Amino acid sequence: MTRTIAERLDDPEAAQAEGRRKMDWAEAHMPILAELRESFAAEQPLDGERIAMAMHVEAKTAVLVELLAIGGAEVAITGCNPLSTQDDVSAALHAVDGVTSYAAHGVDTEEYYDAIEAVVDVDPTITVDDGADMVTHIHDEHPELIPQLKGGCEETTTGVHRLRSMADDGALDYPMFAVNDTPMKTLFDNVHGTGESAMANIAMTTNLAVAGKTVVVAGYGYCGRGVAKKASGMNADVVVTEVDPRRALEAHMEGHEVLPMNEAAAEGDIFVTTTGNRDVITREDFEQMADGVVLANAGHFDVEINLAELDDLAETRREVRDGVEEYALPDGRRVNVLAEGRLVNLAGPLSMGHPVEVMDQSFGVQAVCVRELAANPDAYDAGVHEVPDRLDREVAEVKLDAEDIDIDTLSDEQREYMDSWDHGT
Amino acid sequence: MTRTIAERLDDPEAAQAEGRRKMDWAEAHMPILAELRESFAAEQPLDGERIAMAMHVEAKTAVLVELLAIGGAEVAITGCNPLSTQDDVSAALHAVDGVTSYAAHGVDTEEYYDAIEAVVDVDPTITVDDGADMVTHIHDEHPELIPQLKGGCEETTTGVHRLRSMADDGALDYPMFAVNDTPMKTLFDNVHGTGESAMANIAMTTNLAVAGKTVVVAGYGYCGRGVAKKASGMNADVVVTEVDPRRALEAHMEGHEVLPMNEAAAEGDIFVTTTGNRDVITREDFEQMADGVVLANAGHFDVEINLAELDDLAETRREVRDGVEEYALPDGRRVNVLAEGRLVNLAGPLSMGHPVEVMDQSFGVQAVCVRELAANPDAYDAGVHEVPDRLDREVAEVKLDAEDIDIDTLSDEQREYMDSWDHGT
Amino acid sequence: MTRTIAERLDDPEAAQAEGRRKMDWAEAHMPILAELRESFAAEQPLDGERIAMAMHVEAKTAVLVELLAIGGAEVAITGCNPLSTQDDVSAALHAVDGVTSYAAHGVDTEEYYDAIEAVVDVDPTITVDDGADMVTHIHDEHPELIPQLKGGCEETTTGVHRLRSMADDGALDYPMFAVNDTPMKTLFDNVHGTGESAMANIAMTTNLAVAGKTVVVAGYGYCGRGVAKKASGMNADVVVTEVDPRRALEAHMEGHEVLPMNEAAAEGDIFVTTTGNRDVITREDFEQMADGVVLANAGHFDVEINLAELDDLAETRREVRDGVEEYALPDGRRVNVLAEGRLVNLAGPLSMGHPVEVMDQSFGVQAVCVRELAANPDAYDAGVHEVPDRLDREVAEVKLDAEDIDIDTLSDEQREYMDSWDHGT
Amino acid sequence: MTRTIAERLDDPEAAQAEGRRKMDWAEAHMPILAELRESFAAEQPLDGERIAMAMHVEAKTAVLVELLAIGGAEVAITGCNPLSTQDDVSAALHAVDGVTSYAAHGVDTEEYYDAIEAVVDVDPTITVDDGADMVTHIHDEHPELIPQLKGGCEETTTGVHRLRSMADDGALDYPMFAVNDTPMKTLFDNVHGTGESAMANIAMTTNLAVAGKTVVVAGYGYCGRGVAKKASGMNADVVVTEVDPRRALEAHMEGHEVLPMNEAAAEGDIFVTTTGNRDVITREDFEQMADGVVLANAGHFDVEINLAELDDLAETRREVRDGVEEYALPDGRRVNVLAEGRLVNLAGPLSMGHPVEVMDQSFGVQAVCVRELAANPDAYDAGVHEVPDRLDREVAEVKLDAEDIDIDTLSDEQREYMDSWDHGT
């Protein structure tokens, strides 16, 4: 029988107090969720909904979960990564009315999937995912729930990619919002959130300088360009690897050197993978690397750096520093891997995930999407849906309002001009 | 009877030599068009086509036009802006086999439209536009040509916007490629091309420092963010105005201050409009501005800065420096307008348009789109079409090849991984 | 009787093992000290010297201390800040042959000065300071030692400033090297070291985004411009306060807004003080600040933010997050202070001081300066001395060599040209 | 008999009107000189002085010269570079009461030195130089004037370097202010002035993109880091060459690649020399370069790129574009040299020198230094003098005032704290 976090901990109340303190800090810096909390409390838009969630369970996520409960939903949640759960936050969440948390730090693979199974017991009408583990689990193991599911939300590039593959195979049987792809998420969370937190975690975990280093960024999607941008901003010389020629050219035009990984391997001091793909750094790359290089992953899964091959090559392996595993190669070179190749900004010893404010935006979109699924259950077919523009825009307007930023509005003449086509040179 | 450029000039041969020298320089830095020239010469993909063009007639455009002629087409061309034509280049182009040029610098509005009409005499099968003046002229004045038109290409944000408005009105009667919107154009030409050339032109025309200035950028689309990026890179403090909340937030998260124009007006030293809309800076804004401000437009049409209102406000107006018109207000403040509010990187006294290499990319897309329309005339319905991804990608690959940049390719395992959805945490 | 770190700890051997692991990591990334270790071991340049040190006792410092011991010196050390000592490193250091460490974390003021007194028992011939506490203590309490002191080294801006004031008062009685002021230190440690580590610590301690924030940097010396540079690199909008008009202009020309603190107070989200002066942020500034602001100090002493005045204003005060003290003002606004206003990159809960590589440079200079004092005891008068250029250059050359960076050398003709003055236009 | 500019021109009045228009624009953007004009007019501090000048004669210099005349001086001026003189400005200057101008564009070497000789006829009490040609000419040819010379000012790095070499040889016989070295000059003019204008001139003269290019900057002094900074800001990948190990490390820590020139030669697309030395790019470098590279010089003299060696290597040479000389090598590679290897921001076809505002700062220092020499003729010995800090500071304060920038002032307590040394941890 899978245990809730409260059943796992020796002193759940102490944990809960500490978790609540963390949530308070996050909440104070999440103005979008604060604004939504007022309307959700008043209007109970989620009354009667049951929500199954698999997310990184830390303070910011907890503020979202609490918001959903305040909006009237019953919520069950577990982690989406064995190392990213903070037990104290999980405990504080479990103490919230209407919320059950099974998320626990450091569970093994069996426990991980058991917890997902436990969440499904909530008999969900809506799912919320970060990496698509819940939605795939339901399709695989609980097809009987699909008729009652109004829809779901997916947070990450990787998860949306998996969902699109499912949809292409005709295997996605209820509607999913690609929260990841909406401007309010991808332009902020991926670029600034991943960029800042990956680089700050690398700097703090290693205590190494970024200035003067060659940082190899694998992948130049939104996450990759965020990492490249922040690394450049800290005065690194950035090298980019890509498989798409347009993205490669974009990186080149930013002033970055573009190389195949096997050549970049010989140049880099720090490597950050952001591709969402497997085997981005492999044996033949390790063989090129200089002594003392640092490898970190900022993609969703821990498959980007092929650690099995590195382990094969290495003579010894030891934790040389908290969160840093040193693989010593026979010729004396040392390769340092951060956070076991898992998401460096979530799974490292100092990690707290993305900055609070960018998660406020992403979770603001999550909240209004959940609200939309509850309100308009028949509006969406099975498949992957973009977040409706009006919802994304609503979140942006709430944020501008919270930041006290005024912008211009189109006059009637301007609107007419933009809609017309008969003006010329 | 509209005259060709050769008929207009006193010494067309001298002009032609100078124009050819300019074309040679551009050609030497346009590796994509160089590569296409070989295949176009060998395969004659445009054999039998007649192409009507309205473009900025300067050296880079001329290299494209010559390529189309080399590919077998008969081409007639005129300008798309009265001030951007370089007569010597127009003359050199007119001397190319298969090309007739009516483009001349400084023509008035009547002559401008007469020249468009003259181009139509080529009896086109394909059109190429920069601002949509040719395509709208044909719809308005020569509907009889529409059945024979295989399609057209449009280069600019503004032109594509006009075409979409036409299409929304059911008024676009042949297929048009939105060349502007394709990654190989918009991510390079708009960002780096407009950004670099606008700022360099402003700096050189005024001989003022950019460092330490407050630069107000109106609009944060691809052009606007290019201008903001390059201005920041020259150590300006950038303020952004926007009407879209997401773009406003993006600008804010880059570190730019975001204000309504009427507040930005009081802060700015240099103003650059990039919105594609009219009346972006108006009377109430001029009234807020400090003495000595500089106004420049980097949007397609000269409607962004309301010069009529500025003229109303001003006591006197004089050209205080080549390309700089000073409007003296009654209270002693002076407002300096560059290039009469026309595209500052095309219509100024030193202007040569976008950098050669970014136009090589944009024109590479133009060339393969024209080739596509000739090859597959029935594949596209009337309306606005995105450039097919394979064409955009082809141009990117040619460019990477020319720059000697190698990139990674997906292994079969990686491709399979990206297509699968059953891998989990 | 003051206790050594070994006498203070319950399990000094466990601490020592952990401290050694930290030292190993640092040592692997300190190529300059590694190179010097070879020559110091071989040549024993410090044979017979006794060195009294007051430094931040963490892993990088420990690598320097060990180097001095390897070079033949007897070393006694204590901390130069009650919160920056890491007990495990102190224990590992104490276990090194020839080293005694009195440094312990969290000592009170009395214990702090007792430990300095205990260090003096080593009967020093050379002192090494970080903040000038040792040198001032010796002048105040142990003038009898001055005749035997060959000299000392001072690491920080603040310490050098104190020494110059002493010298101006005729109160500095032995020679001191201003290690802080030498190019190899100030251009790297202050700019990149302070800049990167301050911003990374602020980001990680708060889990807040830097992008889109207004960061107010007080002081635009080398540390301040480092913080401003890295904050801009993370996409903050940077505001600078200064008292020197040239530095103010420099900040302005970088694109930063320059304001008096009392106006900046109303604009900022994050404040970082780097002035070396007291009362940089005071009551009237706190009164202007927005709810939720974050205050951090990157100057040597904890006097820059006037916490007494903030405490007076506040109704309550609580640790709202590890390393974050929240002062709640009567009107509901909250002011968050990091690391109790002490050096944020040293005294915070996640802090590990400057990046390893920049300390390698600074400590490389320290090491060669100590060697110089031992070798040429009569070459320097009492007073503050610049580091001899040849020593600074030696360290730079070792570093370039370690990084495998080749540079050009002047030809004879070039050297002659540079020395001549009779060539003209 | 050397002719004044008025005697040289066919229509000096037309030239004078155009020159005055240029001066008006500059004057409107030179607030420091504007402020000084008021006090100079009122107080006539230069009454009775005779000033001999050799400067780049263009609009900004002219505003300085006019200021000196307004202050009561008689001024004679000529150019300091045959290509940087603008004849219309020279004519306008000649028309100013008390000013005689011999500066003319395109003079040959003999005429150049004849004009310097003619200037000496003014029987100077003060000299003002840009490159030290006047001061060396007087020492060589007119030692009889030295007793009456109160002193001189030198504007450039190169000139100050020549003066220091003279002083080292005991060959400098009157006092000279090293205007170049003062913070208000070197931190602004060299960094931002040279950086912005060099890059803008290169971009506009070639019409090539900077983004995506590898820009090799030779020398990482103030000019070099300015060029590197602005090139990076335009998204170039910057490579630096140096002979000083500290500067090389600084460049490395900024994120630039550092290479010897002979290796950089193979990597670069654009090369900019800023060293002040000769033969920075030579035959063996040309042999490494890619087809189509662009070479520009931003150092004072045209000796940095060895054009004689390039000419030797080349088969043909032609002006391929205004201001661009193409050297065609036997193997087909083309090397493009801008502005004949002279200062690219002064001697190119579009060049107007440094931005107005940075020259306002530099010339503000010049003006107060000339005033100081007139007021305190006995205060300075023969030799090179730093600009007194109070003068530099005065100019900074005037500038801040003109820009409406307020800064903080030290309180008595703060001043006391900074002067004290007995506060501790």
Side-chain angles (χ1 to χ4, degrees), chain C residues 80-82 109 112-113 133 136 139-140 158 161-163 165-166 169 171 183-184 187-188 191-192 229-230 241-246 248-250 252-254 258-263 275-280 300-301 303 342 358 361 389 392-393 395-397 399-400 403 405-410 413-415 417-425, chain D residues 80-82 109 112-113 133 136 139-140 158 161-163 165-166 169 171 183-184 187-188 191-192 229-230 241-246 248-250 252-254 258-263 275-280 300-301 303 342 358 361 389 392-393 395-397 399-400 403 405-410 413-415 417-425:
Chain C
C80 65
N81 178 307
T109 303
Y112 179 82
Y113 285 103
D133 280 358
T136 52
H139 278 77
D140 289 346
T158 294
H161 190 87
R162 289 175 77 188
L163 293 173
S165 300
M166 284 176 76
D169 290 359
M184 279 299 286
L187 298 175
F188 300 93
V191 175
H192 295 289
K229 181 186 191 72
K230 304 293 175 172
T241 74
E242 246 302 335
V243 295
D244 178 276
R246 270 81 52 107
L249 265 183
E250 276 190 274
H252 170 69
M253 288 295 278
E254 276 302 304
V258 176
L259 290 174
M261 179 55 81
N262 197 240
E263 290 177 36
T275 68
N277 209 329
R278 58 180 279 191
D279 300 330
V280 176
H300 189 78
F301 291 120
V303 298
R342 295 174 187 272
V358 297
Q361 295 196 193
D389 193 64
D392 190 70
R393 193 178 169 105
V395 176
E397 284 169 348
K399 171 76 173 175
L400 285 178
E403 296 274 344
I405 298 173
D406 289 333
I407 62 174
D408 285 314
T409 47
L410 292 176
E413 291 75 17
Q414 287 181 313
R415 199 174 295 277
Y417 181 89
M418 289 308 274
D419 291 343
S420 72
W421 53 274
D422 53 1
H423 53 78
T425 299
Chain D
C80 65
N81 178 307
T109 302
Y112 179 83
Y113 284 103
D133 279 358
T136 52
H139 278 76
D140 289 345
T158 294
H161 190 86
R162 289 174 79 189
L163 292 173
S165 299
M166 286 175 74
D169 289 357
M184 279 298 287
L187 298 175
F188 300 93
V191 175
H192 295 288
K229 182 187 191 71
K230 304 293 174 171
T241 74
E242 246 303 336
V243 295
D244 178 276
R246 271 79 54 106
L249 266 183
E250 277 190 273
H252 171 69
M253 288 295 278
E254 276 302 304
V258 176
L259 290 174
M261 178 56 80
N262 196 239
E263 289 178 35
T275 69
N277 209 329
R278 57 181 278 192
D279 299 332
V280 176
H300 189 78
F301 290 120
V303 298
R342 296 173 186 272
V358 298
Q361 295 195 194
D389 192 64
D392 190 70
R393 194 179 168 102
V395 175
E397 285 169 348
K399 170 76 174 175
L400 285 178
E403 294 274 344
I405 298 173
D406 288 334
I407 63 174
D408 285 315
T409 47
L410 292 176
E413 290 75 16
Q414 287 181 312
R415 200 174 295 277
Y417 181 89
M418 291 307 273
D419 291 344
S420 72
W421 53 274
D422 53 1
H423 52 80
T425 299

Side-chain angles (χ1 to χ4, degrees), chain B residues 213-230:
Chain B
K213 290 282 192 311
T214 298
V215 174
V216 176
V217 180
Y220 203 65
Y222 285 103
C223 290
R225 66 193 60 192
V227 172
K229 182 187 193 71
K230 304 293 175 173

Side-chain angles (χ1 to χ4, degrees), chain B residues 87-424:
Chain B
D87 285 346
D88 48 9
V89 172
S90 184
L93 208 40
H94 189 72
V96 170
D97 266 6
V99 179
T100 309
S101 176
Y102 298 95
H105 186 81
V107 294
D108 63 25
T109 303
E110 189 183 340
E111 289 173 304
Y112 178 84
Y113 285 103
D114 283 353
I116 290 180
E117 178 61 29
V119 163
V120 173
D121 277 351
V122 79
D123 193 28
T125 58
I126 291 171
T127 61
V128 180
D129 257 302
D130 185 310
D133 279 358
M134 181 64 67
V135 64
T136 51
H137 182 80
I138 287 175
H139 278 77
D140 288 346
E141 307 294 332
H142 293 283
E144 76 282 3
L145 294 175
I146 284 171
Q148 82 188 39
L149 278 160
K150 295 179 176 173
C153 297
E154 168 54 44
E155 176 78 11
T156 62
T157 310
T158 295
V160 169
H161 190 87
R162 290 174 78 187
L163 292 174
R164 291 200 199 281
S165 299
M166 285 175 74
D168 289 349
D169 289 358
L172 179 61
D173 296 329
Y174 66 89
M176 290 292 299
F177 279 132
V179 170
N180 176 74
D181 295 358
T182 202
M184 279 298 287
K185 199 275 180 179
T186 205
L187 298 175
F188 301 92
D189 186 325
N190 300 22
V191 175
H192 296 287
T194 298
E196 284 191 18
S197 61
M199 290 313 301
N201 270 280
I202 291 169
M204 295 287 288
T205 305
T206 63
N207 196 23
L208 298 181
V210 175
K213 290 282 192 311
T214 298
V215 174
V216 176
V217 180
Y220 203 65
Y222 285 103
C223 290
R225 66 193 60 192
V227 172
K229 182 187 193 71
K230 304 293 175 173
S232 287
M234 295 168 86
N235 302 105
D237 190 9
V238 171
V239 172
V240 170
T241 74
E242 246 302 337
V243 296
D244 178 276
R246 269 82 52 109
R247 288 180 168 181
L249 264 183
E250 276 191 274
H252 170 69
M253 288 294 277
E254 276 302 306
H256 305 312
E257 192 175 12
V258 177
L259 291 174
M261 179 55 81
N262 196 240
E263 290 178 33
E267 308 258 317
D269 298 305
I270 297 173
F271 295 76
V272 188
T273 53
T274 72
T275 68
N277 208 330
R278 58 181 279 190
D279 300 332
V280 176
I281 307 183
T282 59
R283 174 185 294 265
E284 64 174 343
D285 305 316
F286 302 131
E287 285 169 347
Q288 303 297 322
M289 288 176 180
D291 179 37
V293 293
V294 170
L295 313 188
N297 170 45
H300 189 78
F301 291 120
D302 61 351
V303 298
E304 308 214 6
I305 305 167
N306 191 323
L307 291 179
E309 289 184 4
L310 179 56
D311 208 26
D312 266 6
L313 277 179
E315 269 190 340
T316 63
R317 182 174 130 190
R318 61 165 183 154
E319 192 179 44
V320 70
R321 189 177 162 85
D322 291 356
V324 185
E325 198 107 34
E326 174 197 277
Y327 292 75
L329 307 191
D331 58 8
R333 287 179 301 120
R334 289 161 292 185
V335 173
N336 298 295
V337 177
L338 304 194
E340 305 174 24
R342 296 174 187 272
L343 264 174
V344 71
N345 56 354
L346 272 164
L350 311 173
S351 303
M352 286 156 302
H354 283 189
V356 176
E357 300 90 338
V358 297
M359 296 316 298
D360 186 38
Q361 293 195 195
S362 301
F363 288 158
V365 178
Q366 289 276 19
V368 298
C369 283
V370 168
R371 189 191 66 190
E372 172 73 8
L373 289 169
N376 298 304
D378 302 326
Y380 303 94
D381 297 332
V384 179
H385 295 266
E386 292 189 7
V387 174
D389 192 65
R390 71 187 148 80
L391 296 184
D392 190 69
R393 193 179 170 103
E394 173 189 346
V395 176
E397 285 169 347
V398 170
K399 170 76 174 173
L400 285 178
D401 199 49
E403 296 274 346
D404 247 333
I405 298 172
D406 287 333
I407 62 173
D408 284 315
T409 48
L410 293 176
S411 67
D412 290 345
E413 291 75 17
Q414 287 181 313
R415 198 174 297 279
E416 185 187 8
Y417 181 89
M418 290 308 275
D419 292 343
S420 72
W421 53 273
D422 52 2
H423 52 81

Side-chain angles (χ1 to χ4, degrees), chain A residues 69-219:
Chain A
I70 286 169
E74 184 182 345
V75 183
I77 185 167
T78 185
C80 66
N81 179 308
L83 294 185
S84 67
T85 295
Q86 296 185 9
D87 285 346
D88 49 10
V89 171
S90 183
L93 208 41
H94 190 71
V96 170
D97 266 5
V99 179
T100 308
S101 177
Y102 298 95
H105 186 81
V107 295
D108 62 25
T109 302
E110 189 183 339
E111 289 174 304
Y112 179 84
Y113 284 104
D114 284 353
I116 291 180
E117 178 62 28
V119 164
V120 173
D121 278 350
V122 79
D123 194 27
T125 59
I126 291 170
T127 61
V128 180
D129 257 301
D130 185 310
D133 279 359
M134 181 64 66
V135 63
T136 52
H137 183 79
I138 286 174
H139 279 76
D140 288 346
E141 307 295 334
H142 293 283
E144 75 281 4
L145 293 175
I146 284 171
Q148 82 189 39
L149 278 160
K150 295 179 176 174
C153 297
E154 168 54 44
E155 177 77 11
T156 62
T157 310
T158 295
V160 168
H161 190 88
R162 290 175 77 187
L163 293 174
R164 291 200 199 281
S165 298
M166 286 175 74
D168 288 350
D169 289 358
L172 180 61
D173 295 329
Y174 65 89
M176 290 293 297
F177 279 131
V179 169
N180 176 75
D181 295 358
T182 202
M184 279 298 287
K185 199 276 181 179
T186 205
L187 298 176
F188 300 93
D189 187 324
N190 300 23
V191 175
H192 296 288
T194 298
E196 284 191 17
S197 61
M199 290 313 301
N201 268 280
I202 291 169
M204 295 287 288
T205 305
T206 62
N207 196 25
L208 298 181
V210 175
K213 290 282 191 311
T214 297
V215 174
V216 176
V217 180

Side-chain angles (χ1 to χ4, degrees), chain D residues 269-328:
Chain D
D269 299 304
I270 296 174
F271 295 75
V272 189
T273 52
T274 71
T275 69
N277 209 329
R278 57 181 278 192
D279 299 332
V280 176
I281 308 183
T282 59
R283 175 187 293 266
E284 64 175 340
D285 305 316
F286 302 132
E287 285 169 347
Q288 303 298 322
M289 289 178 178
D291 179 36
V293 294
V294 170
L295 312 189
N297 170 45
H300 189 78
F301 290 120
D302 61 351
V303 298
E304 308 215 5
I305 305 167
N306 192 323
L307 291 179
E309 289 185 3
L310 180 55
D311 207 27
D312 267 6
L313 278 179
E315 269 189 341
T316 64
R317 183 174 130 189
R318 62 166 182 152
E319 191 180 47
V320 72
R321 190 176 162 84
D322 291 356
V324 185
E325 199 108 32
E326 175 197 277
Y327 293 75

Side-chain angles (χ1 to χ4, degrees), chain C residues 226-243:
Chain C
V227 172
K229 181 186 191 72
K230 304 293 175 172
S232 287
M234 295 167 86
N235 302 105
D237 191 8
V238 171
V239 172
V240 169
T241 74
E242 246 302 335
V243 295

